Amino acid sequence: ILIGRGELEQAARHFKQQYVLGHQRATALYNLACAKARAGNADGALDVLDLAVRHGFEDTSLVRSDSDLAAIRDRAELAELVHDMQTIADLRAELAGLKASGNPELLYGLHSELAHLLTADGKLLERHGHMALKAGDHGEAAWAFEQQAEVGHRPADGYYNVACARALAGDVERGLALLARAADEGMAYSPIREDRDLDALRDDPRFAELERRIALRGEERVALKTSLAGGDGHVALEELDRIRTDAGRSADERA
């Protein structure tokens, strides 16, 4: 509505807030690019449109025809983005056809291509990281999980899984640093004590405290779920309120 009324700065503010709130982020970025293009900010529009593509925006016909993008219609960067969008669509179609083919190497290779194009799609990056771990490609797994965490998709899990990938690759210092980041983000996982992926870190004296923090949070969650499942709502509410008001917790935990 605001774009239609020519109130482009107001429109841009709303699309930015939509992105922050996590609602249809790729579409929010596309519409923000439209607002910037209509306001005459061609470079800004192209930067935001690129980010929309990395989040998974894939409507090539709209990009080719949308009058809101007239200011960047003849830019070479727009043609490159449309090419990337078509490549992403082709890779998705090929992957969909391969899932039942029993060719894990080809499936992994195509998924890697897709992940390196969709560098802001946290859910896809998380899936790719697990595929890379299964394939024994620890460097690729570390990249995917760290990228997942950096774009804000389940960051605690992302950093924990990067730590696993780094530990498997023998990088103790980086593994411990990322495990600490996972703990700071509120990672809760009581089976950490049996997680063989972290064995390379266990002899370091710093590991014990990180393991304790992550395991305790996991046990806390199990106890909370037990209270809820058992109908003990008062105990659960008290525990939830304690977590919500604990300034030492991550924003995700308190939310």
Side-chain angles (χ1 to χ4, degrees), residues 91 95 106-118 124-125 128 131-132 137 140 143:
L91 284 168
L95 281 164
L106 182 56
L107 188 70
Y108 175 60
L110 290 171
H111 206 274
S112 182
E113 286 186 55
L114 186 61
H116 282 270
L117 285 167
L118 293 174
L124 180 135
L125 288 162
H128 184 60
M131 289 178 70
D137 192 348
E140 180 77 355
W143 170 80

Side-chain angles (χ1 to χ4, degrees), residues 105-246:
E105 292 83 7
L106 182 56
L107 188 70
Y108 175 60
L110 290 171
H111 206 274
S112 182
E113 286 186 55
L114 186 61
H116 282 270
L117 285 167
L118 293 174
T119 51
D121 185 336
K123 190 173 181 180
L124 180 135
L125 288 162
E126 182 178 28
R127 187 161 63 247
H128 184 60
H130 286 294
M131 289 178 70
L133 277 184
K134 189 175 180 180
D137 192 348
H138 302 141
E140 180 77 355
W143 170 80
F145 288 131
E146 191 154 13
Q147 190 71 14
Q148 167 209 331
E150 293 297 326
V151 300
H153 176 71
R154 291 159 46 97
D157 292 79
Y159 288 122
Y160 180 88
N161 286 323
V162 189
C164 289
R166 292 298 184 192
L168 287 166
D171 187 349
V172 173
E173 282 302 316
R174 189 72 178 138
L176 284 166
L178 288 158
L179 193 62
R181 184 73 185 272
D184 290 342
E185 290 284 349
M187 185 63 190
Y189 187 57
S190 52
I192 185 176
R193 296 186 179 100
E194 292 81 43
D195 193 339
R196 300 277 71 85
D197 288 350
L198 296 172
D199 280 355
L201 311 182
R202 293 186 185 279
D203 291 338
D204 191 288
R206 294 167 290 180
F207 179 80
E209 174 59 17
L210 293 171
E211 180 186 57
R212 185 190 69 80
R213 287 172 61 194
I214 291 170
L216 279 176
R217 292 278 170 88
E219 290 160 3
E220 174 186 75
R221 294 221 180 153
V222 170
L224 179 57
K225 287 179 180 178
T226 301
S227 294
L228 287 166
D232 199 345
H234 292 296
V235 171
L237 279 171
E238 286 177 7
E239 179 65 7
L240 286 165
D241 200 49
R242 184 181 67 79
I243 293 170
R244 180 184 64 82
T245 56
D246 184 351

Side-chain angles (χ1 to χ4, degrees), residues 21-183:
L21 292 170
H23 176 65
Q24 297 183 353
R25 282 184 154 179
T27 303
L29 289 166
Y30 175 79
N31 287 323
L32 178 57
C34 290
K36 286 180 177 291
R38 287 195 56 165
N41 183 357
D43 289 340
L46 284 164
D47 287 343
V48 175
L49 188 58
D50 180 85
L51 192 54
V53 172
R54 305 311 152 200
H55 273 78
F57 189 81
E58 55 187 25
D59 192 340
T60 54
S61 62
L62 180 60
V63 173
R64 289 188 176 107
S65 63
D66 196 336
S67 60
D68 286 342
L69 298 178
I72 59 173
R73 181 71 55 218
D74 298 328
R75 293 282 293 262
E77 296 98 317
L78 183 63
E80 290 169 8
L81 287 174
V82 170
H83 178 268
D84 282 353
M85 291 168 72
Q86 189 58 58
T87 301
I88 289 165
D90 292 344
L91 284 168
R92 286 191 190 279
E94 197 169 354
L95 281 164
L98 273 174
K99 282 183 178 175
S101 71
N103 190 334
E105 292 83 7
L106 182 56
L107 188 70
Y108 175 60
L110 290 171
H111 206 274
S112 182
E113 286 186 55
L114 186 61
H116 282 270
L117 285 167
L118 293 174
T119 51
D121 185 336
K123 190 173 181 180
L124 180 135
L125 288 162
E126 182 178 28
R127 187 161 63 247
H128 184 60
H130 286 294
M131 289 178 70
L133 277 184
K134 189 175 180 180
D137 192 348
H138 302 141
E140 180 77 355
W143 170 80
F145 288 131
E146 191 154 13
Q147 190 71 14
Q148 167 209 331
E150 293 297 326
V151 300
H153 176 71
R154 291 159 46 97
D157 292 79
Y159 288 122
Y160 180 88
N161 286 323
V162 189
C164 289
R166 292 298 184 192
L168 287 166
D171 187 349
V172 173
E173 282 302 316
R174 189 72 178 138
L176 284 166
L178 288 158
L179 193 62
R181 184 73 185 272

